[in-house]
Amino acid sequence: MTVGPLFPPERLAALRSGDLADVRAALAGLPRAELAAWLATSEGEAVLRTVFERMPERYTGGPMDGQQTARWVVEREPAETLAYDLVLTEDNCEVRRTGTSGEPTVTLTLDAVSFVEMASAAAQGMDLLLQGRLQIQGDVHLAVRMESLFGLAAPGEPG
Amino acid sequence: MTAHVSPQPESDPQPETGALVEADVVVVGGGPTGLAAAHFLAGHGVRTVVLEQRLTPSGHPRATVINSRTMELLRHLGIDAAVRRAGVPLQNTARITWCTELAGTELAGLDIIASADALMQRAVNSPVLPVICSQNRVEALLVDRLPDNARVIRGVKAEELAPTPSGVRVTASGEGGRPLVVEARYAVLAEGLHGSLRETVGLEQTAATPLGRLLDIHFSADLSPWTAGRESALYWVLNDTVRGVLVTVDPVDGEWLLEIPALSADEEHRYFEQEVDHHKLIEAAIGKPVDAIEGLRIHSVRNWVMGSTGLTSWRSADGRVLAAGDAAHTFPPTGGFGMNTGIQDAHNLAWKLAAVLRGNATDALLDSYERERRPVAEFNARHSETNALQKRALLQSDADPEFARNIEEHRPHFDFEGQTLGFSYEPGPGESVVQDVVNYRPTAQAGHRAPHAWLDRDGDRISSIDLARTGFALLTGPGGAVWRQVAQETATVAGLPLTATVIGTAGSTAADTAADGPQLRDVNGAFADSYALRGAEAVLVRPDGHVLARLPGVAPRQELAQAVDRIVTTGLMPARAEVLS
Ligand SMILES: Cc1cc2nc3c(=O)[nH]c(=O)nc-3n(C[C@H](O)[C@H](O)[C@H](O)COP(=O)(O)OP(=O)(O)OC[C@H]3O[C@@H](n4cnc5c(N)ncnc54)[C@H](O)[C@@H]3O)c2cc1C
């Protein structure tokens, strides 16, 4: 197991809460390198997995050309990469292990800190992409809809 | 009526008309060029007063394209995010559509960002993306965020510009009030095409034969039933009643511009010389009766001459007055360069004025403004004219299945990253200011915009283009540590701050970062690739983000002194100076 920094219990609870505002508050002021190191621990991995499992709760859906798969690849060096497929239809989102739903329509690859930021609407995918932190492959139109599909537009940003 | 001053803290006394206001620079005209000039000048500590005759900004959208270079400049002003929020992100308008009517048959489409690769490529070129945001919204944000040492005085018309022993005196009149007098060292005329002061200081207008007149209808309507699934920046419509373009201003709130060029004498008559039913034109463009178009409301109708104009000289004979933006050049709107070129003029001029005002550069530096910007404006003019003629031919062609065949030929009208990021100042003999309109190839050769590369500082990302935002910057690789010493000895260049930054290689880690080692790390090798620095070589970047010189680092102090000397005494790019002198 990788040893990472110790976070106070309140910060841990907030990161685990799934509440976007709480997660954003927990991220505020936390040095990136420290959070990255923690997300590479098994405790961090558990939080990342929880974020994935809870993504369907946030799914708002929208017009969709049949079933589409968005693959998320979350890098957390030196620990192993986490990857999930989100299988999307107009009104449903299912989280699956990769490789069980065929080729993805789009693949989003990013570091764990950026993933947490994006999943909590602390950062916008387009900003992460422009900063070179997020790479996309495949269908650009589905990629740029990710945030609106999960109700993650930043306050004031078009959804 | 009294003059309106904005933005000023409530407690600040407003100058009364009849008062004398002193400033370093007076800007005539508070359009995008004048407002941008005020921001850039204020950023260099120059006290600036903008005089604007209109009490409130126009609500008519006019220009809508903010290209990537302009967005980079707005990013340095800290208003890029606000502009993006106020506008339509490119990813939602990354398409151009041709159709018989909006609700009719689609004839052709051009994807500007067709693939993830295309988007990733854009992200490599710049820390920002271009945005569709209407001019009136950009102007409002520029006014809103104006720093304290710049002020806009509204509701006053500059009537007279006279020389003084130390600069210029502008006499302005407010409605019914006594004249307001502004005394400054320099005047920037950002008075737009129709301003009248240029003539009075001997800056004469030139005009190419106009390419026709354009009718411009600004309206609101919910057009989503016909745009959903193929959201575009522009919808060109070709039918028997209307041949023109529907411009997306705000697709969420349903705000649009219908621009119809008069393509023949007959159409000139039809659109401008008799009573035209603008609702009928909208109906014909949409292909639905008015009562089937939800929320239709016309806000304003304008018409304007489509063509290029210029000035014989951009600087008055006494050197105190400089023209910028539409006052110096106008183009047809095809390509969206009008507002962008004006804002970038202001950016080129601001640091030069600051250097001269501080007494650290000779007046000759200001001559480099026209020398550098005129060729760029002229290139943009020619390109916009070509676009206009091609679009005119396309609008006159048959709306049949053949239509889509050659659509790819029109890409340079809409996809011009090579032009927006790749233009260079004082290119070598026989070279064009733009090498390739569509494709941008990063290069850190003298005259070019110093390329963008992400650099890491303890997990934070800084763009290489951020290093020169307030002064001169030396950018060097791990072999160039000596430049830090040199920059410490030479705190300023032409009166503006000089910094030196050593950038470590992509593989280096925090552990390599000794006290005198790299302060920033090349994130993915983009810096090494595009700057191509060897050994102790450094790139000296000007405050407007363009490379002044590449310095080999063999005799660093001497190399820097020479480069600086050239720019402050002649304004010439050192690399080009040999050729020109
Ligand atoms: C109807 C219309 C549609 C357009 N559409 C497009 C488009 O689609 N795409 C595009 O790229 N460009 C378009 N343009 C051109 C674009 O608007 C200009 O390139 C841009 O406004 C240039 O900015 P500027 O600040 O240089 O000049 P302007 O915006 O013209 O600003 C000049 C300002 O100076 C003020 N002024 C003038 N004289 C005085 C004085 N003596 N005292 C005080 N104030 C004075 C004026 O009131 C004005 O506010 C359009 C223009 C018009 C008129």
Side-chain angles (χ1 to χ4, degrees), chain B residues 394-448:
Chain B
L394 194 65
L395 284 178
Q396 282 167 330
S397 61
D398 291 333
D400 60 20
E402 285 291 287
F403 188 87
R405 230 171 29 152
N406 299 323
I407 211 67
E408 212 25 66
E409 285 171 13
H410 294 270
R411 182 170 292 279
H413 177 171
F414 309 103
D415 198 351
F416 40 75
E417 196 88 334
Q419 187 176 0
T420 48
L421 296 178
F423 68 85
S424 68
Y425 292 146
E426 305 206 35
E431 275 174 36
S432 167
V433 287
V434 175
Q435 303 282 345
D436 179 338
V437 168
V438 177
N439 301 297
Y440 167 66
R441 289 184 198 86
T443 165
Q445 292 304 319
H448 288 266

Side-chain angles (χ1 to χ4, degrees), chain B residues 29 31-33 51-53 62-63 135 156 158 190-192 304 326 336 338-339:
Chain B
T33 304
L51 303 178
E52 169 54 52
Q53 63 194 9
R62 300 196 280 166
Q135 178 173 338
V156 290
E191 58 181 5
W304 57 302
D326 269 21
M339 172 167 60

Side-chain angles (χ1 to χ4, degrees), chain B residues 28-34 51-54 60 62-64 135 139 156-158 190-193 195 197 216 259 302 304 324-327 333 336-339:
Chain B
V28 177
T33 304
L51 303 178
E52 169 54 52
Q53 63 194 9
R54 299 180 69 105
H60 197 81
R62 300 196 280 166
T64 54
Q135 178 173 338
E139 286 177 19
V156 290
K157 181 170 194 258
E191 58 181 5
L193 177 62
L197 290 183
D216 216 52
E259 291 188 341
R302 297 267 200 99
W304 57 302
D326 269 21
F337 279 94
M339 172 167 60

Side-chain angles (χ1 to χ4, degrees), chain B residues 482-487 489-490 551 553-564:
Chain B
V482 62
W483 290 109
R484 282 173 74 182
Q485 184 61 40
V486 174
E489 296 158 13
T490 318
L551 308 177
V554 179
R557 288 168 184 82
Q558 211 181 330
E559 290 160 13
L560 178 66
Q562 262 173 8
V564 169

